[in-house]
């Protein structure tokens, strides 16, 4: 709890960044430790960081009161503050060389064993790119695969909208506070992502506006939260997509790129990525097949116990145990939406509980 209080105060009240916090002495573990910083030691920090530290409240009691008010403000806005000591902190961040110290969250995070794809692309997307975002995201979502994006205009927002329309889950990482919709035209999607098991997250505190240097930080988290990265359109020159691809490669993530016409500047970036070793994306099934293989490698024997299944997975498994079922029959008998059923069936199939005997016809193994 001491570390949580320290990080919340540093990030929310003093507005220190992750990098600035890591410049503090290694023996700063609590609010009380902050008051051991002398004026002489603070002089070694950059001017901007010194200015922030100078706003430290005059006493631990004053800091405690400030924290109480911060916690109330977050609760009113339905924003959670998480650190790596929270049970639902994403283990996917282990792939990062510079992981976040904290997160601000509205809604939920992707469940640990939910297959997840990060979808990125051009803000000024072509009609082809937008159609492909609709098609690919909706197909993946219908199979229980969650979509992560940056809520940007163009490909990002279209993929998030398509995932929700298909009954799936979608998550957005922002380069500003989680209470700020950027860009403003995505407000309807922004609102939906705060509900029904979807989520919006950011390293930046509430009310923090978007700045150019925020987006590389945001992009590394987009890459980290996906089990793989899907690039639908990108220009050849340096762009947000190329930064995200670079971060995904550093994390050892697989890249899938959509090809386009060789005369289309919005496809040239994807073609360069493919030339350099990214997977050519011919169909959403390419990603489904890859995630199936990846999940088989990730799943541990202890996870293969029926007691470990979620209530929805267990209910569907028992229905299929009674008799082989077509998908429509499972939807009718379970009462679950298509996204929930497909997500559960994918996990049950990957873990060896059920098998698909023919198209949308399932039997217990």
């Amino acid at each position: 709890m001491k570390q949580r209080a320290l990080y919340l105060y540093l990030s929310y009240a003093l507005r220190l960044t992750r990098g600035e916090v890591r410049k503090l002495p290694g023996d700063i573990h609590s609010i009380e430790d902050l008051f051991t910083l002398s004026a002489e030691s603070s002089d070694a920090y950059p001017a901007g960081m010194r200015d922030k530290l100078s706003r430290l409240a005059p006493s631990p009691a004053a800091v405690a009161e400030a924290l109480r008010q911060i916690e109330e403000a977050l609760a009113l806005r339905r924003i959670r503050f998480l650190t790596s000591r929270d049970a639902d902190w994403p283990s996917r961040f282990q792939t990062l060389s510079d992981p976040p110290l904290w997160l601000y969250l509205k809604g939920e995070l992707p469940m640990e064993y939910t297959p997840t794809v990060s979808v990125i692309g051009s803000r000024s997307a072509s009609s082809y790119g937008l159609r492909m975002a609709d098609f690919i995201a909706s197909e993946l979502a219908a199979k229980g695969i969650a979509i992560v994006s940056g809520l940007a205009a163009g490909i990002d927002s279209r993929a998030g909208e398509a995932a929700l329309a298909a009954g799936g889950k979608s998550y957005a990482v922002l380069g500003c506070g989680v209470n700020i919709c950027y860009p403003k035209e995505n407000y309807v999607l922004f609102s939906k992502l705060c509900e029904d098991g979807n989520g919006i997250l950011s390293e930046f505190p509430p009310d923090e506006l978007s700045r150019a240097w925020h987006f590389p930080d945001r992009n590394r988290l987009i890459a980290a939260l996906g089990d793989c990265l899907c690039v639908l359109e990108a220009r050849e020159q340096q762009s947000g997509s190329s930064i995200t691809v670079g971060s995904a490669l550093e994390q050892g993530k697989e890249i899938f790129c959509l090809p386009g016409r060789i005369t289309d500047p919005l496809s040239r970036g994807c073609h360069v990525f493919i030339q350099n070793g990214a997977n050519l994306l011919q169909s959403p099934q390419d990603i489904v097949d890859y995630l199936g293989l990846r999940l088989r490698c990730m799943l541990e024997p202890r996870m293969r116990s029926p007691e470990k299944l979620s209530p929805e997975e267990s209910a569907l498994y028992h229905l299929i145990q009674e008799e082989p079922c077509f998908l429509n029959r499972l939807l009718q008998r379970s009462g679950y939406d298509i996204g929930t059923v497909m997500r559960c069936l994918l996990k049950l199939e990957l873990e060896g509980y059920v098998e698909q005997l023919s198209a949308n016809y399932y039997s217990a193994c």
Side-chain angles (χ1 to χ4, degrees), residues 68-144:
R68 185 190 67 77
Q69 295 178 16
I70 290 170
E71 294 279 16
E72 285 184 359
L74 291 178
L76 285 172
R77 291 172 161 183
R78 299 173 66 184
I79 297 172
R80 291 180 62 199
F81 179 78
L82 301 176
T83 72
S84 60
R85 297 187 179 180
D86 285 283
D88 50 351
W89 184 259
S91 66
R92 290 177 170 97
F93 287 162
Q94 294 172 1
T95 62
L96 287 163
S97 59
D98 183 22
L101 297 177
W102 56 73
L103 286 177
Y104 291 89
L105 172 69
K106 283 182 73 70
E108 304 293 335
L109 289 164
M111 293 180 65
E112 204 63 22
Y113 285 92
T114 296
T116 306
V117 175
S118 300
V119 179
I120 63 171
S122 175
R123 285 177 169 83
S124 54
S126 69
S127 59
Y128 167 70
L130 295 175
R131 289 199 308 274
M132 290 301 99
D134 284 339
F135 171 59
I136 291 168
S138 61
E139 288 290 307
L140 295 177
K143 293 183 183 299

Side-chain angles (χ1 to χ4, degrees), residues 15 48 65 84 107 123 153 171 180 198-199 205 212 214 230 234-236 246-247 312 320 323 334-335 358:
R15 251 40 184 189
E65 174 59 22
S84 60
R123 285 177 169 83
Y171 306 87
I180 297 174
N198 306 292
H214 289 180
C230 177
R235 295 184 183 275
E236 188 172 1
S247 181
E312 294 85 359
I320 297 171
E323 60 175 346
S334 69
S358 60

